[in-house]
Amino acid sequence: MVGTPIKHAQMAVLNDVGEDTVLDYIATGMSVRKLVAKIGIGNRAFYHWLNDEPGRKARYRQAQERQARFLAEECIEIADATQDAAQAQVSKLRIDARKFMASKIDPERWGDQKGPLVNMNISVGGTHLNAIKDLANAPVVIDQDKDEE
């Protein structure tokens, strides 16, 4: 393949930077896009590097979960730093973007929780009416032993 030497050279750059450093960048909110630009490699090399060593992708996933927590905490800091109404709209946009990313990175913790769909429409009047109809249509049983006494 033509791009393989380049990809391997870029993966070597990532190895030189170090897995801990790369994952710390991710955990502290840096996007993969900014990370690869900072290091000077391509996206494909980064994702090949993730799959190159067993367990690295799981450690990357843990770094993403820390990143989601970081983004959620950053929302509070942005909201607390907002001083006036003119700044509020910009702050809201920044908060919404971080909330969106946190919910996509770690939906179990930061996504919208959807409960089970249960239809609880019970008509008490309709239930009583059905019971009366059942009684009216029930066969009448006469206890003949009672009549003879």
Side-chain angles (χ1 to χ4, degrees):
M1 292 181 131
V2 176
T4 301
I6 295 171
K7 180 178 69 180
H8 287 296
Q10 291 178 352
M11 289 170 63
V13 169
L14 279 165
N15 286 328
D16 291 343
V17 170
E19 180 180 313
D20 289 340
T21 303
V22 170
L23 296 181
D24 282 343
Y25 282 138
I26 297 294
T28 55
M30 185 178 284
S31 68
V32 171
R33 186 175 158 272
K34 284 186 179 180
L35 175 68
V36 297
K38 178 181 178 82
I39 296 173
I41 62 166
N43 284 337
R44 285 184 39 192
F46 175 79
Y47 289 109
H48 277 89
W49 175 81
L50 272 183
N51 294 317
D52 191 44
E53 184 179 311
R56 184 178 282 158
K57 198 164 191 173
R59 291 187 294 276
Y60 171 71
R61 183 70 190 123
Q62 290 172 343
Q64 283 185 309
E65 289 172 0
R66 291 194 316 268
Q67 180 186 41
R69 189 176 310 117
F70 176 87
L71 292 171
E73 290 172 357
E74 196 173 32
C75 289
I76 301 298
E77 293 172 9
I78 292 168
D80 288 345
T82 303
Q83 299 294 321
D84 56 26
Q87 194 181 22
Q89 192 63 29
V90 173
S91 294
K92 181 177 177 357
L93 179 63
R94 293 178 68 211
I95 289 168
D96 287 346
R98 283 157 178 78
K99 282 175 28 181
F100 172 79
M101 284 305 299
S103 73
K104 297 304 174 194
I105 293 169
D106 191 358
E108 288 181 21
R109 178 170 284 146
W110 304 108
D112 293 333
Q113 302 299 319
K114 295 179 181 164
L117 297 176
V118 178
N119 189 354
M120 295 298 292
N121 293 333
I122 299 173
S123 171
V124 175
T127 303
H128 285 275
L129 185 59
N130 288 337
I132 292 170
K133 285 179 184 177
D134 289 343
L135 286 174
N137 293 329
V140 178
V141 176
I142 300 174
D143 190 1
Q144 292 181 356
D145 293 336
K146 247 185 170 182
D147 288 342
E148 292 176 0
E149 294 176 6

